[in-house]
């Protein structure tokens, strides 16, 4: 601790604690400071990390571990964020309207109440959602109420120790395409500057009341809009569909179940251990349906009850994952984000439609658009970019995010996507088919598209930057045995998109690899895809053979990518 004292750490800790509005957080810092002063190296390291700098406000808003100090999520940090957002808004609109929502994570309600108090005192009209609700309801409410901004307190699918603060724009602060969409540059930097300009919290105005709490009609209207937008005709001979649903200890369960009920799905089995909101996520330490093991309980229940479809949403219900019984038995097949993205894209494609996906998602959606007479647009990673595509009909990203009803929610929405998938399964079952048959059809029409990531975690974030620099200077000559035919530097801007850090490689046999540093974690992400064309009348055996060739080629590409980064 002595080195920390010499560089002023102790003084900074005391100053922050003195200005912290939360008694528990003040006490936490006092305890850590005393322990560090007594020679506790772990406490000293913890304090050094908590005061390593402010929690960065960016295009994802704020997200981080709960705890006291400027580099954690706490009431002091949230009040500063709300004050900065309020200052930015009131410079651009008279009495701006802001909708505030929250999930059931630790301290989410506290952070929402603090935001309402600070924003109201700043001169905003604040509308607070009536209870802990999914992120898509907040995104809907921003558009429905004509709000100038929205705040959602959630860390989505992060671990239990995290929380976050998403900011949406609307009304007078955005164009039509950006209403109900998360912020993008330069707005993030402008709000961050306003946050940095906030003075001592002891002098920050906070209203004791003056905001409104929205009624349950906001949920009712969301449900009505979603069900109407994704409704599919029920075939006369449609059999009953048995569903298994898990909300992953989050807030999506009641809204999703009601949306399914209104869409005619009454045989629904919920994973009991994961049904109710629990901020500790006791059965899934990393509550992301994509994570290995996250669906184990849902799949076990599905096997027990003979389910036709498994639907999983993440804790704030903006993502969804699906699984269906394998043909001929043998358990369940979980669809990847790209696989379900293709299925939903083909369902929503039509002459004149606009389909979009992130540039790291599969190339298959572009082929779907061309075949169906639709337009296609690539976007930077994240729905803050995908949702801004003009005239959007459908958008998705490989990280199991789908926007299937942009006129309702111009963001990813696991609830509307789940209802749409259930409708497709009902229709296919009536015809004696499954979603696997739909994917077979798409492979015959547009080629087998197989994707898989290479994710390289590092202790030092600087290593990812060096790896990208190394690939930029010395790109691989071949990947998977096929010559690299093009190298695109995403930092120069590609496909008419804004510059972003990363590289894209294409090979002579149609493979593609996009390499980019994670924006939120110390890791390098490499998105690999291979394409194998097959005849439109390919037999089941020919299709399986093509998939096996694609799988083998994909593994060769992934091995070469690991070697080329120098991190594998």
């Amino acid at each position: 601790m002595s080195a920390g004292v010499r560089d002023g750490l102790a003084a900074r800790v005391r100053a922050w604690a003195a200005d912290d509005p939360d008694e528990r957080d003040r006490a936490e810092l006092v305890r850590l400071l005393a322990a560090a002063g007594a020679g506790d190296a772990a406490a000293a390291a913890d304090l050094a990390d908590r005061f390593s700098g402010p929690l960065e406000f960016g295009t994802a808003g704020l997200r981080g571990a709960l705890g006291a100090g400027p580099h954690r999520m706490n009431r002091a940090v949230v009040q500063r964020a709300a004050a900065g957002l309020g200052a930015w808004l009131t410079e651009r609109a008279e009495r701006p309207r802001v909708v505030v929502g929250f999930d059931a994570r630790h301290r989410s309600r506290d952070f929402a109440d603090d935001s309402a108090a600070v924003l109201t005192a700043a001169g905003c009209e604040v509308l607070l959602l009536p209870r802990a609700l999914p992120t898509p309801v907040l995104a809907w409410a921003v558009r429905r109420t004509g709000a100038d901004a929205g705040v959602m307190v959630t860390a989505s699918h992060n671990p239990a120790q995290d929380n976050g603060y998403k900011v949406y724009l609307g009304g007078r602060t955005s164009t039509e395409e950006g209403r109900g969409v998360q912020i993008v540059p330069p707005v993030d930097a402008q709000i961050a500057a306003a946050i940095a300009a906030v003075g001592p919290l002891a002098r920050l105005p906070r209203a004791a009341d003056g905001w409104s709490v929205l009624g349950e009609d906001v949920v009712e209207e969301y449900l009505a809009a979603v069900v109407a937008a994704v409704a599919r005709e029920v075939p006369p001979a449609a059999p009953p569909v048995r569903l298994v649903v898990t909300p992953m200890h989050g807030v999506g369960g009641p809204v999703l179940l009601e949306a399914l009920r209104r869409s005619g799905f009454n045989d629904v089995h919920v994973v009991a251990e994961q049904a109710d909101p629990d901020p500790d996520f006791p059965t899934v330490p990393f509550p992301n349906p994509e994570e290995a093991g996250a669906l184990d309980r849902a799949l076990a229940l599905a096997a027990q009850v003979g389910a036709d479809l498994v639907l999983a949403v993440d804790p704030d219900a903006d993502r969804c994952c699906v699984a269906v019984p394998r043909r001929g038995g043998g358990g369940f097949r979980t669809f990847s984000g790209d696989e379900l993205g293709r299925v939903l894209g083909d369902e929503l494609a039509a002459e004149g439609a606009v389909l979009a996906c992130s540039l790291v998602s599969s190339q298959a959606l572009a082929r779907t658009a061309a075949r169906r007479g639709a337009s296609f647009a690539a976007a930077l990673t994240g729905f803050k970019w995908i949702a801004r595509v003009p005239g959007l009909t459908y958008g998705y990203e490989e990280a199991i995010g789908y926007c299937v009803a942009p006129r309702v929610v111009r963001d990813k929405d696991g609830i509307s996507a789940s209802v749409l998938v259930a409708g497709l399964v009902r229709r296919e079952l009536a015809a004696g088919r499954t979603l696997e048959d739909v994917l077979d059809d798409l492979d015959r029409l547009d080629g087998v598209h197989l994707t898989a990531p290479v994710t390289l975690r590092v202790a030092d974030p600087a290593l990812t930057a060096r790896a990208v620099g190394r690939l930029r200077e010395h790109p691989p000559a071949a990947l998977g045995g096929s010559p690299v035919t093009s190298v695109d530097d995403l930092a120069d801007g590609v496909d008419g998109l804004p510059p972003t850090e990363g590289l894209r490689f294409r090979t002579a046999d149609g493979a593609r690899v996009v390499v980019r540093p994670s924006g939120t974690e110390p890791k390098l992400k490499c998105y690999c895809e291979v394409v194998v064309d097959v005849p439109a009348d390919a037999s089941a055996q020919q299709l399986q053979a093509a998939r096996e060739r694609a799988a083998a080629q994909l593994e060769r590409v992934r091995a070469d990518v690991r070697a080329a980064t120098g991190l594998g």
Side-chain angles (χ1 to χ4, degrees), residues 405-481:
R407 293 185 179 179
V408 178
V409 175
R410 208 169 178 92
D411 195 7
K412 56 186 178 291
D413 181 355
I415 293 170
S416 57
S418 292
V419 174
L420 177 57
V421 171
L424 302 188
V425 168
R426 178 167 55 193
R427 185 182 67 199
E428 295 303 321
L429 286 175
R433 289 162 43 94
T434 74
L435 288 189
E436 285 193 303
D437 295 305
V438 175
L439 196 57
D440 288 352
D441 293 344
L442 295 177
D443 279 352
R444 292 185 177 100
L445 290 167
D446 301 324
V448 173
H449 289 252
L450 202 57
T451 62
V454 172
T455 302
L456 301 166
R457 297 181 181 273
V458 296
D460 180 2
L463 293 176
T464 62
R466 286 202 286 272
V468 173
R470 186 163 49 248
L471 288 170
R472 186 174 279 122
E473 294 177 13
H474 305 288
L479 290 169

Side-chain angles (χ1 to χ4, degrees), residues 221-411:
E221 290 179 7
Y222 165 80
L223 282 165
V226 161
V227 170
V230 300
R232 290 296 180 270
E233 184 177 350
V234 181
V241 180
R242 178 163 293 174
L243 308 179
V244 162
V245 168
T246 175
M248 292 276 170
H249 300 293
V251 296
V255 181
L256 174 56
L257 293 175
E258 180 61 17
L260 290 168
R261 187 193 66 79
R262 295 184 186 199
S263 302
F265 299 97
N266 299 303
D267 190 356
V268 181
H269 300 254
V270 182
V271 179
E273 313 97 289
Q274 299 173 338
D276 297 324
D278 187 331
D280 293 319
F281 305 111
T283 68
V284 278
F286 200 88
N288 181 350
E290 286 189 295
E291 287 292 309
L295 293 183
D296 285 355
R297 283 174 169 78
L299 295 176
L301 178 59
Q304 177 184 333
V305 302
D308 301 301
L309 174 65
V310 175
L311 294 168
V313 292
D314 68 339
D316 70 329
D318 64 350
R319 291 172 168 84
C320 82
C321 185
V322 309
V324 297
R326 293 187 181 277
R327 282 181 301 230
F332 285 76
R333 177 194 179 152
T334 302
F335 275 54
S336 72
D338 280 320
E339 288 173 337
L340 186 58
R342 292 182 70 185
V343 169
L344 296 179
D346 189 69
E347 174 67 19
L348 296 171
E351 189 78 30
V354 178
L355 312 183
C357 65
S358 61
L359 58 79
V360 301
S361 299
S362 173
Q363 304 166 94
L365 192 65
R367 291 198 180 188
T368 296
R371 172 171 50 81
R372 299 292 297 273
S375 300
F376 171 77
L380 295 185
T381 303
F383 263 87
K384 58 185 176 285
W385 297 108
I386 297 169
R388 279 184 162 78
V389 170
L392 183 69
T393 303
Y394 165 73
Y396 94 93
E397 62 181 0
E398 47 74 41
I400 60 172
Y402 312 96
C403 177
V404 300
R407 293 185 179 179
V408 178
V409 175
R410 208 169 178 92
D411 195 7

Side-chain angles (χ1 to χ4, degrees), residues 103-130:
D103 66 8
R105 283 179 175 265
H106 290 297
R107 309 208 76 177
S108 284
R109 182 59 194 259
D110 292 342
F111 296 163
D113 288 343
D114 278 341
S115 297
V118 172
L119 289 165
T120 298
C124 299
E125 177 193 2
V126 177
L127 309 176
L128 188 65
L129 291 188

